[in-house]
Amino acid sequence: TTREGFKIALSVSCYSLIATAQRVAPLMTDGGSILTLTYLGSDRAFPKYNVMGVAKAALESSVRYLAADLGEQRIRVNAISAGPVKTAAARGIPGFMDMYNYLNERSPIKDDFVAAKVAPLAAFLASDGASSITAETIFVDNGYHAMGM
C-alpha cells in the first residue's frame, strides 16, 4: 500500500463517519442513531483485504469514541459488521467471491447470505428498541465470525 492509498482508505472508511457525525449531530436535537458498516477484516487478517482491515479497525474505534462524545445528546453510534454481501463495491475486492463462498460453507446458519439479512438489524438499531445500545459492533454474518477453522 502506498502512503496515498493508505490515506484514501482511512478517509473513505473511517473519517467519512466522523465528518458525517459532525454534520448530522447538530440536527439530531431529540437524540437518534448513527450507523456504519464494517467487516470482520478489522479484527482478522483476510487474504487481499490488506489496508481495508486497518481502516475498518480505525472505523470501529471511531464508533466507540463518537458514542462517548455524543452520548450526552442521546445519540447512539454503532457499527454493523456484515458478512460479505454482493455489492458493486464488493466486486472491486480481489478474491471477494472466495470470501463469500467461504462464509456460506463455514457458517452455522447455512442460508445464502444476502443484503436483506443486514437491513433488519439496521432498522432495529435505528429504532427506539435499541435506545440503550451504543458503542457496539454487532455481527450479522450467519454466525461466521464465531467459527474457528
Side-chain angles (χ1 to χ4, degrees):
T1 297
T2 65
R3 181 181 296 266
E4 187 59 27
F6 186 81
K7 287 180 189 177
I8 291 169
L10 279 176
S11 179
V12 170
S13 291
C14 179
Y15 185 74
S16 59
L17 175 67
I18 297 165
T20 298
Q22 286 173 331
R23 287 161 180 79
V24 302
L27 304 174
M28 301 172 80
T29 57
D30 294 326
S33 178
I34 297 173
L35 301 176
T36 190
L37 288 169
T38 188
Y39 181 62
L40 185 59
S42 66
D43 188 54
R44 300 182 190 159
F46 282 85
K48 301 178 185 170
Y49 199 63
N50 302 331
V51 71
M52 289 306 299
V54 175
K56 292 299 185 182
L59 172 68
E60 291 176 22
S61 182
S62 293
V63 164
R64 293 184 293 273
Y65 280 97
L66 285 169
D69 291 344
L70 299 174
E72 288 186 20
Q73 295 169 246
R74 294 184 304 115
I75 298 173
R76 304 177 318 274
V77 184
N78 291 293
I80 296 172
S81 183
V85 176
K86 293 180 189 176
T87 64
R91 286 191 285 273
I93 299 171
F96 170 80
M97 284 309 297
D98 293 334
M99 291 167 47
Y100 180 82
N101 292 332
Y102 196 79
L103 175 134
N104 284 315
E105 292 168 7
R106 304 291 175 147
S107 297
I109 298 173
K110 296 299 181 190
D111 294 338
D112 192 35
F113 188 76
V114 295
K117 307 272 179 141
V118 180
L121 176 60
F124 169 71
L125 288 172
S127 77
D128 290 341
S131 64
S132 293
I133 299 172
T134 194
E136 293 294 334
T137 297
I138 301 174
F139 292 90
V140 56
D141 63 1
N142 287 354
Y144 174 75
H145 72 279
M147 297 296 102
M149 299 291 294

